[in-house]
Amino acid sequence: MNKLRYLSLSRKSSFVIAGILFMCAIWQLSSNLLAQSSTPSQLNQSEALLDSYRHVEVASVSDALEQLTGRKMYLSHKMQPIFPIKFAGFALTVKLSKDEGNKDPGALSGMLAAIDQGAQSSVWVMVVEDGADIAGMGGLMGTTMSARGFAGAIIDGGVRDVGQLRKIGFPVYATGIVPSTSVGHYRFAGSNIPVSCDGVEVRPGDIVAADGDGVAIVPRAKAGEVLALAQEMDFKEHSMYSIIEKYKSIQEAVKRFGRL
């Protein structure tokens, strides 16, 4: 009898312990799922921000930046795309300094390392010192960036191998197309540092927004505020087109929406 009672108690204890362990597992799983659903990851938040910038016009972004910061935050007319495109991404900044006639095989190794370490949705923002007639990048660099999921590249200097870049659909803005090389003429001077690109300050992680109207640089700390105002401007402007067509008057549209 004692033996049977012992076995019965053992079984009950086993069931209780198993039940407790099962409930603990369910609680832990529920907590993990709740945490994942209630707090979006930083990566998802960043991608959502970029997606919104991909759907707003750069002209509106530029106007919003000027209103909120009082500064010119767009690149000049010299910065031209190798093909029409619209993109947005986070700035990965790189600087090349002149070092004419250098024979150092590692002079540009830091530049290559920066490409290979670049994250998806990066925009390669390269400043080439006095580089209007020097190709800061070409087909090899562009193909690597494309394979790594970069959004595009902005070169304060020249670009080459545009046939390859157009073939793979990798967007580049540059001051011109030239066949030259930076090898033997330049040295890597740093990456993920503040740079002045075509006269505009760009910091690592700033948002770079580009379309057919040009390129605007959005300081990361102002990204949400600028986006909200740019979206409001877009809505007003797009709403004005039908008013203009109906009344054949831009003055009527401006009076109604206050946007020009």
Side-chain angles (χ1 to χ4, degrees), residues 10-237:
S10 297
R11 286 173 183 168
K12 288 181 180 179
S13 299
S14 298
F15 284 134
V16 170
I17 293 171
I20 292 172
L21 292 174
F22 178 75
M23 292 302 295
C24 288
I26 292 296
W27 178 83
Q28 184 65 47
L29 178 61
S30 299
S31 298
N32 291 341
L33 291 174
L34 182 61
Q36 290 173 10
S37 61
S38 61
T39 308
S41 69
Q42 187 175 1
L43 180 62
N44 289 340
Q45 289 177 334
S46 297
E47 190 54 42
L49 182 66
L50 288 184
D51 188 60
S52 295
Y53 268 99
R54 295 183 189 112
H55 289 87
V56 70
E57 295 181 14
V58 170
S60 294
V61 174
S62 176
D63 287 356
L65 280 163
E66 187 170 350
Q67 285 192 25
L68 293 172
T69 69
R71 293 187 292 158
K72 165 188 170 290
M73 297 296 291
Y74 60 88
L75 305 188
S76 76
H77 67 279
K78 295 183 294 183
M79 199 65 66
Q80 293 291 315
I82 60 173
F83 58 82
I85 192 68
K86 182 176 180 63
F87 66 83
F90 297 116
L92 192 171
T93 59
V94 180
K95 185 176 181 180
L96 297 187
S97 296
K98 268 196 169 183
D99 188 9
E100 286 289 354
N102 79 78
K103 305 296 183 183
D104 180 5
L108 298 174
S109 59
M111 175 184 72
L112 305 183
I115 296 174
D116 283 355
Q117 293 164 10
Q120 187 169 329
S121 296
S122 294
V123 176
W124 182 260
V125 180
M126 170 178 273
V127 175
V128 184
E129 182 185 3
D130 297 328
D133 292 319
I134 294 292
M137 70 169 286
L140 297 177
M141 291 170 62
T143 300
T144 309
M145 293 177 197
S146 179
R148 293 191 63 82
F150 281 46
I154 310 294
I155 312 296
D156 192 354
V159 62
R160 72 178 190 178
D161 302 331
V162 293
Q164 169 67 5
L165 295 172
R166 288 168 179 160
K167 177 182 176 182
I168 64 175
F170 186 73
V172 179
Y173 279 73
T175 59
I177 299 172
V178 289
S180 57
T181 180
S182 58
V183 176
H185 304 284
Y186 282 82
R187 180 176 294 278
F188 173 73
S191 64
N192 279 321
I193 56 174
V195 296
S196 177
C197 181
D198 193 28
V200 177
E201 182 184 43
V202 185
R203 293 180 174 275
D206 283 351
I207 290 179
V208 182
D211 65 12
D213 288 330
V215 182
I217 308 298
V218 183
R220 187 65 180 270
K222 290 279 187 181
E225 191 179 2
V226 170
L227 175 63
L229 182 54
Q231 288 173 329
E232 179 185 338
M233 290 177 167
D234 262 9
F235 176 77
K236 287 182 178 180
E237 182 163 327

